[in-house]
Amino acid sequence: MNRGYKSIVFYICSTAALGGLLFGLDQGFIANSLETIREVYGLDIRSAEHYSSILATGSVIGALLSGIFARYLGRKKSLVLSGLIFCSASLLSAFLPPMPVMYGSRFFLGFAVGIASFIVPLYLSETAPAPIRGAMGTLFQLLITIGIFLISVTNVFIAKWIATPRTALPLMFAIIVLFATLMFVGSLFLPESPRWLMLRGRRDQAIEVLKKTLNTREDVEREIRDIEGTLSKQGVRIGILFKGYFIKILLVGIFLQIFQQLVGINVMIYYAPTIFGYAGLTGIVAMMTVPTVNMLFTFPAIRLVEKWGRKKLLYIGALCMLIAMLASGAAFTVIGNTSDPAMIAGGPKVILLVAVIFYIFGFAVSWGPVAWLVCSEIFPLRGRELGMTVTTMVNWTFAGLLMDNALTFMQIHGNASIFFIFALFCGLSIAFVAAFVPETKGVTLEQIEWNLKAGKKMRSLGDVTPGNHHL
Ligand code: BGC
């Protein structure tokens, strides 16, 4: 029975969602601040890549430990912890400390991103009322792209208005400090997740929280019964790692996340202004195209995953990215390795710009949200936390590898080379989806688990077997 949600529900959703926004703010920070950072610290390309990518190293470790934090500290305290780290690390960076400390701060920002990217969806799925839980899951990806967009805009304006890099850079970090403080202070007043309280045997406290978030006594009782029904099946079971069916599905999740990164998205998110610069394209178009297109096309993706299904979107997205990468590679082949705008003809520049727009459209509408969504759907209940932790860590490891090497690779092998390699991975990702990825649209998680244990092929896990909707 829905008689509208209590205001505490909006408070819970918006405070926890700030974690998604901060993920985006830190991920999108580099693109339009890299020049300013390089001027302040006199960094060469290699050091700039290290500074950018150390976020990913922090995220891998944050993601690894977040399961432990979630279990022993609780969901709320883990959110408070990530808010505190976001605050302190961005504040420290705003004081422009020596470079090793800057590296350390960005590592810790990544650590907080790793925790937030695990805890926020978990907390929301456990605390938000059932009818809005699905929407909350997809909201997370949207918030990441909004965060990337927001920080790109503010960094562009700060760099434009404040000519002195040493004054501009602290202001850029101040934006992150602002949202991090909101998240930190806001999360202090969040209620603990009722599911975690039940897990720790604190039934009375769980009921108190549910009374605050739900409207009627019947709703509270139903929720308590639901939680009790699933508790015994939840949790990490390391033994599952030795089951053949789990290893197979884990590999599907791992490769899905590897391909999500090997199509090259973060090279664009991080270095588009630099790469556009290599083609003689500068100014607002070079700085804002990627974050704007990325955010705008995540909105339709949220409806399309339910309408068209996951696989169709993955095919369409990969095909768009494949064409776009071939076109970008061709444009750079014509441009060569000069970055003198006077030497570069208009044609290749236009082709590059249109291709990048098409590429980001392809990613935002498909692989961006769908890779995460499918990874949250394919694992059996007992291996879900483990599966999601491993696949999240793999995603960040490959993100880091690309961020740490892309610009140097272009320097050594020529600007066009990297685009052709990404095109190759787009092609391989299509073959991978066709051969191994199941269609999970409209299928219950129980049906997927039943099919998995019955030994069905990976790509057929979404087939509905009459009479087997439950385990
Ligand atoms: C990816 C990130 C990427 C972001 C861009 C996410 O799905 O995992 O690595 O930066 O999308 O929107």
Side-chain angles (χ1 to χ4, degrees), residues 181 349 356:
T181 311
K349 281 191 208 172
V356 169

Side-chain angles (χ1 to χ4, degrees), residues 61-132:
I61 297 174
L64 174 68
L65 295 182
S66 53
I68 298 172
F69 288 145
R71 183 154 281 239
Y72 297 104
L73 274 183
R75 291 28 168 166
K76 173 189 166 163
K77 283 195 189 134
S78 303
L79 279 174
V80 173
L81 177 71
S82 70
L84 182 66
I85 302 175
F86 273 130
C87 260
S88 345
S90 45
L91 192 63
L92 186 61
S93 309
F95 285 102
L96 306 187
M99 201 55 212
V101 183
M102 281 292 272
Y103 279 126
S105 306
R106 193 158 164 83
F107 170 87
F108 275 103
L109 282 174
F111 188 75
V113 166
I115 301 177
S117 52
F118 187 84
I119 305 283
V120 170
L122 181 68
Y123 176 79
L124 286 175
S125 73
E126 292 181 343
T127 314
I132 54 172

Side-chain angles (χ1 to χ4, degrees), residues 33-220:
S33 69
L34 198 60
E35 268 318 298
T36 314
I37 297 173
R38 288 184 67 183
E39 279 172 45
V40 172
Y41 285 95
L43 302 185
D44 59 11
I45 285 275
R46 198 74 199 107
S47 319
E49 281 176 330
H50 288 332
Y51 178 69
S52 308
S53 68
I54 201 166
L55 181 94
T57 315
S59 306
V60 172
I61 297 174
L64 174 68
L65 295 182
S66 53
I68 298 172
F69 288 145
R71 183 154 281 239
Y72 297 104
L73 274 183
R75 291 28 168 166
K76 173 189 166 163
K77 283 195 189 134
S78 303
L79 279 174
V80 173
L81 177 71
S82 70
L84 182 66
I85 302 175
F86 273 130
C87 260
S88 345
S90 45
L91 192 63
L92 186 61
S93 309
F95 285 102
L96 306 187
M99 201 55 212
V101 183
M102 281 292 272
Y103 279 126
S105 306
R106 193 158 164 83
F107 170 87
F108 275 103
L109 282 174
F111 188 75
V113 166
I115 301 177
S117 52
F118 187 84
I119 305 283
V120 170
L122 181 68
Y123 176 79
L124 286 175
S125 73
E126 292 181 343
T127 314
I132 54 172
R133 273 175 208 163
M136 286 297 117
T138 38
L139 187 72
F140 191 67
Q141 176 71 21
L142 196 58
L143 278 155
I144 297 173
T145 61
I146 294 175
I148 295 175
F149 174 78
L150 192 71
I151 200 74
S152 303
V153 177
T154 52
N155 283 357
V156 164
F157 281 107
I158 294 171
K160 203 171 157 55
W161 282 331
I162 298 167
T164 332
R166 290 196 75 83
T167 317
L169 194 52
L171 279 175
M172 293 175 174
F173 281 112
I175 305 289
I176 304 186
V177 176
L178 179 76
F179 286 100
T181 311
L182 275 179
M183 181 192 167
F184 171 55
V185 177
S187 54
L188 288 173
F189 301 98
L190 285 174
E192 183 48 273
S193 142
R195 198 167 281 265
W196 182 76
L197 289 168
M198 293 283 285
L199 200 67
R200 309 298 280 184
R202 303 196 208 152
R203 197 171 192 276
D204 291 348
Q205 280 170 274
I207 293 176
E208 282 314 305
V209 174
L210 289 172
K211 277 188 190 157
K212 283 190 206 154
T213 56
L214 299 177
N215 290 328
T216 63
R217 251 198 31 215
E218 298 86 77
D219 287 345
V220 174

